[in-house]
Amino acid sequence: MTILFKLAWRNLWRNRRRSLIILVAIVVGVVSLLFIEGLVNGQLKQLLENQIGTHIGHLQIHAKGFQDDRTIQHLIPDKKRVESALRSLPEVVAYSPRIISFGLVSSASASSGVTMLGVDPLLESRVSMIAHSMTSGEYLAGEPRSIVIGERMAEKLGVEVGDKIVLMASALDGHVGSDAFRVTGLFKTPDSEFDRSYVQVGMESAQSMLGVSDSVSEFAVVLQSADMAAAVKSSVGSALGESYEVFTYGELIPMMIMMIEVTRESMGIYYVIIGLATIFGIINVLLMAVFERIREFGVVMAMGMRSAQVFRLILLEAFLLGVLGAAAGVLVGLLVFWPVSIQGLDLGASAEAMSSIGMGSIIYPFLTWADILKNILFVPVVSLLAAVYPAWKATRLEPVRAIRYV
Amino acid sequence: MEIIKTEQLVKTYADHGVPVHALRGINLSIERGEFIAIAGPSGSGKTTLLNCIGALDRPTTGRVCVNEQDIDLLDNSERARLRLHKMGFVFQAYNLIPVLTALENIEFKMMLLGKSEGERHELAMRSMKELGIADLAHKKPQDMSGGQQQRVAIARAIVNEPPIVLADEPTANLDTENALILIDLMREMGRTKNVTFVFSTHDPRVLERVQRIIFLRDGNIADP
């Protein structure tokens, strides 16, 4: 350990109480940043996973033009070719073919606009969370003309499991196809809008009602990781050719992706606020430390210590303060954070509002190594910035006057 | 060999707008290895003269030469380098760094000189042994007496064997016994290491032990 380091370290503890107060302030700042960062991470992850898990998937494959004109007429030209392409890719974990149409669902007492998804129950259960979100009854069990609907829609229609409802939607030939379905189950996802507007029926029942024989409108695909979406899109697109269109989840829900980006970037505001508070705290402490040691600086400058070395000494003191504060802050932050990240943070009071934007009421905050590293680096850097002014003040001292300072 | 020379050294400064003539044309020549006291009553200009010689203060007019170099021509960084390499300082109030031990205080100067850790330690310990304070190596200033602290300050000043040591009232805070011991130590160090000691004092007991006395009165050299 060099003398300069020893000097800087011991200078930190000359006024123990003052150093401890600023350290506590830094720790509180770091813990707050970690907590906010973790909470935002948890919220955004849940938001995205819920969107992907309810119906989006990581990729969607349609016939060309479907995304702009989501009608029953845009059917996948060759279902088997798509299945073959997807099976050949190791990144693909699961896929589900769907027939999609838009129409009206009616009970004896009410009716509502609806997006109808005709699905293969087994394949769909590997892609979306609906099968695992049943709150009563059961998921599509293979019986013809069975339907699962969201709890919200059931409330709106005034129906329960076992009741009959009538579904009407545009058929391939331009007429309105309709059929009666028995509600076999109700689901509740974290996205109340989805629960209010989507229903799932068996593939054959849907195809029969819409007159599309064995055709489908969409393949929803789940990959090993969301990060693979762009690469797999490219592979699938090349394999299928121009009669198809392939979209990543980012292209399917661009507003949400933008919102996530904006939210992440807005974290910078917290860093600025806490950074400024830390800077002023450290400036205050270091200025007091410099004024208390004017005579000492005069002596070492008289001995031959150059202004640049005095400057570095004060920066080193600030840096040590920052490193100590960051280390303590991250340690305390993780200790506080760890149980919350496991048990989750129940935001029950805001459950309704959160559900409307596709989030559950329990958030599981999490931190990445990058977040922790960012905080470990942030405070020492801020401390160094804060030390510039007091260090500059010290270098302006004239040894001949500083020595006589009382 | 002349190591310090002043020519018509004048220092005037303002005290609340009133000009104070601290030095009024000092001509001085000091040889290498001399043991010199600058004496005179309070306000006679002793400390100002030491500050000008030590490149801590700039003269209003006149010249200070160290090793035949006009030090007023040096910029602040060069003056700091000159002080570090060519001079040692001892202050009335000892002025050791309170958070460092005696040994570290001495090593600190060696660090400024860019010496390696091993060399720092070896030279600092040798210096402490020469001054009979090796047993204080790991004590901090607050755990030492005034006399002990001043010995550490002298060890710090001479550790790199500079040609000049300047001391401002080094015995003022010491009792008679410690003051005389300290002066004898400084004289011995000056003799064995060929170091020029220039110190200010108005202590008659100390003046009896020096080679030469430069007596100042009202900023001028005067007869004692």
Side-chain angles (χ1 to χ4, degrees):
Chain A
M1 197 159 53
T2 68
I3 296 276
L4 205 64
F5 186 87
K6 276 184 196 171
L7 183 58
W9 176 254
R10 290 178 196 168
N11 280 336
L12 268 189
W13 303 108
R14 279 186 170 192
N15 191 324
R16 200 175 291 263
R17 186 162 56 175
R18 193 169 61 204
S19 293
L20 283 174
I21 287 172
I22 188 67
L23 274 175
V24 168
I26 292 173
V27 167
V28 169
V30 172
V31 170
S32 308
L33 279 177
L34 286 175
F35 204 82
I36 294 167
E37 188 112 45
L39 196 61
V40 168
N41 283 346
Q43 284 178 324
L44 297 182
K45 182 173 183 245
Q46 198 179 101
L47 191 62
L48 191 59
E49 284 183 349
N50 287 345
Q51 287 293 316
I52 290 170
T54 46
H55 67 298
I56 300 287
H58 291 130
L59 285 180
Q60 286 186 4
I61 303 164
H62 308 126
K64 190 163 186 67
F66 179 85
Q67 192 63 11
D68 292 334
D69 180 20
R70 296 172 69 89
T71 58
I72 193 69
Q73 279 72 30
H74 288 95
L75 294 170
I76 297 267
D78 187 346
K79 187 175 116 180
K80 291 201 184 317
R81 188 173 170 197
V82 176
E83 287 178 324
S84 170
L86 292 175
R87 280 197 199 113
S88 69
L89 293 169
E91 297 93 335
V92 175
V93 173
Y95 62 84
S96 174
R98 293 166 179 166
I99 181 84
I100 303 173
S101 189
F102 305 89
L104 196 69
V105 61
S106 305
S107 67
S109 57
S111 58
S112 174
V114 71
T115 301
M116 181 188 83
L117 302 179
V119 298
D120 176 318
L122 184 63
L123 295 178
E124 182 67 15
S125 68
R126 293 173 188 159
V127 169
S128 83
M129 64 171 72
I130 308 303
H132 317 289
S133 306
M134 305 307 295
T135 53
S136 59
E138 56 182 20
Y139 190 56
L140 300 169
E143 285 181 27
R145 294 190 178 77
S146 58
I147 187 169
V148 290
I149 63 173
E151 275 188 356
R152 295 297 178 102
M153 181 170 282
E155 282 170 24
K156 195 173 175 184
L157 296 176
V159 297
E160 294 176 350
V161 172
D163 289 347
K164 273 192 174 177
I165 55 177
V166 174
L167 203 54
M168 291 184 288
S170 302
L172 186 62
D173 60 7
H175 291 91
V176 175
S178 68
D179 216 335
F181 292 82
R182 188 173 300 282
V183 177
T184 59
L186 305 181
F187 59 82
K188 184 181 181 191
T189 70
D191 185 349
S192 60
E193 275 307 304
F194 182 86
D195 296 354
R196 203 174 277 135
S197 54
Y198 279 75
V199 299
Q200 286 192 351
V201 299
M203 180 67 85
E204 287 175 8
S205 301
Q207 287 171 333
S208 162
M209 185 184 119
L210 300 171
V212 294
S213 63
D214 193 31
S215 298
V216 297
S217 326
E218 170 179 286
F219 274 83
V221 184
V222 170
L223 306 173
Q224 287 170 355
S225 156
D227 299 336
M228 298 172 172
V232 176
K233 173 194 168 173
S234 174
S235 303
V236 174
S238 305
L240 295 180
E242 291 189 353
S243 305
Y244 297 83
E245 57 188 22
V246 185
F247 292 101
T248 64
Y249 66 93
E251 293 162 331
L252 292 163
I253 43 173
M255 290 302 289
M256 179 159 293
I257 299 300
M258 190 186 294
M259 189 187 88
I260 288 171
E261 291 299 318
V262 169
T263 307
R264 281 195 199 289
E265 282 172 17
S266 65
M267 272 303 297
I269 294 169
Y270 293 105
Y271 277 88
V272 169
I273 292 168
I274 290 176
L276 283 176
T278 308
I279 280 177
F280 284 112
I282 292 174
I283 284 178
N284 185 35
V285 165
L286 289 179
L287 273 180
M288 286 203 287
V290 167
F291 285 125
E292 281 172 4
R293 286 153 55 198
I294 283 179
R295 191 183 174 118
E296 195 174 303
F297 285 124
V299 170
V300 293
M301 289 166 97
M303 280 166 56
M305 193 172 192
R306 282 173 288 117
S307 298
Q309 291 172 305
V310 172
F311 192 85
R312 281 205 295 271
L313 172 66
I314 295 172
L315 252 54
L316 181 59
E317 288 176 24
F319 182 72
L320 289 175
L321 190 67
V323 168
L324 201 64
V330 167
L331 189 68
V332 173
L334 291 179
L335 285 174
V336 171
F337 191 81
W338 183 61
V340 181
S341 69
I342 291 172
Q343 290 177 0
L345 193 64
D346 191 351
L347 303 176
S350 317
E352 184 67 26
M354 296 186 68
S355 175
S356 69
I357 57 167
M359 275 198 297
S361 60
I362 298 178
I363 304 295
Y364 293 90
F366 73 94
L367 289 168
T368 62
W369 284 111
D371 298 328
I372 294 169
L373 189 66
K374 191 163 58 179
N375 274 273
I376 288 174
L377 295 177
F378 174 70
V379 181
V381 169
V382 162
S383 303
L384 282 176
L385 288 176
V388 169
Y389 178 65
W392 177 79
K393 288 288 282 184
T395 63
R396 306 302 293 169
L397 293 172
E398 290 182 49
V400 70
R401 283 172 188 77
I403 290 168
R404 289 201 297 266
Y405 187 84
V406 181
Chain B
M1 179 191 157
E2 186 181 66
I3 193 162
I4 299 167
K5 185 180 179 185
T6 69
E7 290 175 357
Q8 289 299 315
L9 182 61
V10 172
K11 179 67 185 178
T12 305
Y13 57 87
D15 185 10
H16 297 96
V18 179
V20 176
H21 303 287
L23 300 173
R24 298 170 185 258
I26 302 287
N27 292 304
L28 193 63
S29 175
I30 298 173
E31 297 290 314
R32 174 94 193 236
E34 277 198 275
F35 191 67
I36 292 181
I38 299 172
S42 288
S44 59
K46 301 188 295 291
T47 300
T48 307
L49 179 57
L50 279 178
N51 287 342
C52 287
I53 292 172
L56 291 170
D57 210 352
R58 291 180 186 272
T60 309
T61 60
R63 293 200 319 155
V64 177
C65 294
V66 173
N67 276 339
E68 298 182 342
Q69 181 180 29
D70 185 347
I71 63 173
D72 200 33
L73 300 178
L74 304 177
D75 64 24
N76 285 343
S77 178
E78 289 166 333
R79 289 161 77 88
R81 193 184 303 275
L82 174 81
R83 291 196 296 269
L84 181 61
H85 290 271
K86 304 289 183 194
M87 296 176 185
F89 290 86
V90 180
F91 303 95
Q92 179 181 335
Y94 328 127
N95 287 343
L96 300 176
I97 299 170
V99 293
L100 298 181
T101 63
L103 180 66
E104 288 164 350
N105 262 284
I106 300 165
E107 285 188 55
F108 182 76
K109 187 175 184 188
M110 303 305 284
M111 181 213 72
L112 295 178
L113 284 158
K115 303 288 183 190
S116 70
E117 197 168 336
E119 201 175 358
R120 285 201 305 253
H121 186 79
E122 188 189 329
L123 290 173
M125 278 310 295
R126 187 198 296 170
S127 183
M128 293 191 85
K129 280 178 189 160
E130 285 169 353
L131 285 152
I133 49 171
D135 56 325
L136 302 177
H138 301 295
K139 284 195 174 180
K140 287 196 175 160
Q142 64 267 29
D143 301 322
M144 291 186 269
S145 69
Q148 288 172 329
Q149 286 187 60
Q150 201 60 303
R151 284 201 218 184
V152 174
I154 292 170
R156 180 175 67 179
I158 62 161
V159 64
N160 58 325
E161 303 190 1
I164 301 166
V165 171
L166 303 171
D168 188 11
E169 305 267 11
T171 59
N173 287 352
L174 302 179
D175 57 40
T176 302
E177 186 187 352
N178 271 308
L180 296 179
I181 289 171
L182 199 83
I183 288 298
D184 289 343
L185 268 173
M186 284 165 57
R187 191 169 57 185
E188 181 62 14
M189 288 294 118
R191 193 181 60 76
T192 56
K193 295 179 186 295
N194 196 25
V195 173
T196 308
F197 269 89
V198 182
F199 59 94
S200 63
T201 186
H202 52 253
D203 187 340
R205 301 160 306 177
V206 171
L207 293 176
E208 290 170 7
R209 296 173 181 245
V210 301
Q211 278 179 335
R212 180 151 71 109
I213 301 170
I214 296 165
F215 195 82
L216 291 185
R217 181 178 291 131
D218 297 331
N220 287 307
I221 295 178
D223 292 329

